[in-house]
């Protein structure tokens, strides 16, 4: 199997973290170019939307969308990153992490793909408001879900916070979120997080 990935993509990083956490070293990770304005032809053939990650399986069609791939990899390894006893909470936590990534990526693409004179400041502010609300929700009501054995919600949030550090460190997401910042500092030391840090 092959995982189409990019080192800076937080969505692909989720999948790479799962591979390491579950010991699936038989999956080849391939860096490809993805871009909303075009991208790698092989990636586009695997995933019609042209987005990463995409997982080429030895048998069966390619899988895409990070949440589909992580569920597949978790099932393949029998690793219980989606524990049945907390399934809905873990899925919601993972969705919160994905929402942070989507909004942060929206800001990144606006800055990368449009000339500076066409940047839309209101767009930046609206996307950051979504991120801030999500971070505040994590700080105020989701910390119990971030504790305990590693699960996919924790991985998703960890990758989202790492992406904020990579692309939006000037926004200082840690300000006023001491509990979440302390959790992130510890979680980022997991070997899988260290190995996949962009």
């Amino acid at each position: 199997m092959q995982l189409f990935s990019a080192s800076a993509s937080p969505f692909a990083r989720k999948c790479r973290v799962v591979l390491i956490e579950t010991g699936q070293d038989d999956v080849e990770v391939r860096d490809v170019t993805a871009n909303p304005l075009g991208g790698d032809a092989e990636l586009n053939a695997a995933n019609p939307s042209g987005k990463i990650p995409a997982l080429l399986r030895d048998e069966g069609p390619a899988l895409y969308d990070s949440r589909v791939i992580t569920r597949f990899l978790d099932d393949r390894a029998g690793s219980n990153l989606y524990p049945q006893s907390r399934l809905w909470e873990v899925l919601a936590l993972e969705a919160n992490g994905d929402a942070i990534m989507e909004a942060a990526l929206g800001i990144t693409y606006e800055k990368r793909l449009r000339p500076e004179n066409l940047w839309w400041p209101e767009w930046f502010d609206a996307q950051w408001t979504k991120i801030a609300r999500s971070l505040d929700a994590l700080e105020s009501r989701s910390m119990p879900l971030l504790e305990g054995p590693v699960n996919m919600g924790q991985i998703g949030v960890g990758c989202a916070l790492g992406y904020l550090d990579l692309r939006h460190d000037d926004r200082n997401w840690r300000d006023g979120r001491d509990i979440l910042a302390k959790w992130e500092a510890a979680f980022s030391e997991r070997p899988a997080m260290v190995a996949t840090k962009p």
Side-chain angles (χ1 to χ4, degrees), residues 4-194:
F4 287 167
S5 178
S7 60
S9 166
F11 294 102
R13 185 182 187 194
K14 281 174 48 182
C15 299
R16 295 194 329 271
V17 169
V18 169
L19 288 174
I20 295 169
E21 289 281 354
T22 60
Q24 297 184 68
D25 56 4
D26 59 335
V27 178
E28 178 188 358
V29 178
R30 290 185 49 203
D31 276 348
V32 296
T33 302
N35 187 306
L37 303 180
D40 187 280
E42 198 172 3
L43 171 63
N44 294 338
N47 179 357
S49 74
K51 294 181 179 180
I52 50 175
L55 183 68
L56 291 181
R57 298 185 292 166
D58 298 330
E59 295 181 12
L63 299 179
Y64 38 90
D65 188 277
S66 64
R67 281 183 271 194
V68 174
I69 296 171
T70 56
R71 286 295 294 265
F72 172 82
L73 294 173
D74 177 63
D75 185 69
R76 180 177 187 249
S79 55
N80 204 34
L81 292 174
Y82 294 94
Q84 195 60 43
S85 63
R86 301 172 72 190
L87 180 62
W88 303 114
E89 292 81 3
V90 168
L91 288 171
L93 190 61
E94 183 183 12
N96 194 346
D98 282 2
I100 292 169
M101 291 185 235
E102 288 166 4
L105 196 59
I107 296 171
T108 300
Y109 279 155
E110 175 76 6
K111 287 185 174 180
R112 284 201 165 164
L113 301 176
R114 291 170 60 105
E116 187 172 351
N117 64 311
L118 296 178
W119 286 359
W120 188 10
E122 292 83 0
W123 171 260
F124 297 149
D125 293 343
Q127 298 312 303
W128 191 259
T129 296
K130 294 176 190 178
I131 293 167
R133 282 196 311 254
S134 296
L135 294 170
D136 290 343
L138 290 170
E139 174 83 7
S140 65
R141 61 180 187 247
S142 296
M143 293 312 300
L145 298 173
L146 290 170
E147 302 303 330
V150 67
N151 63 56
M152 203 56 229
Q154 296 169 4
I155 293 170
V157 169
C159 291
L161 299 178
Y163 188 73
L164 294 181
D165 285 338
L166 176 68
R167 297 289 188 221
H168 305 292
D169 62 329
D170 58 318
R171 298 275 190 159
N172 192 16
W173 67 263
R174 291 173 178 80
D175 187 32
R177 301 181 186 97
D178 296 342
I179 301 170
L180 183 59
K182 183 178 179 182
W183 175 85
E184 186 277 337
F187 193 80
S188 68
E189 293 300 315
R190 291 186 69 85
M193 296 297 287
V194 172

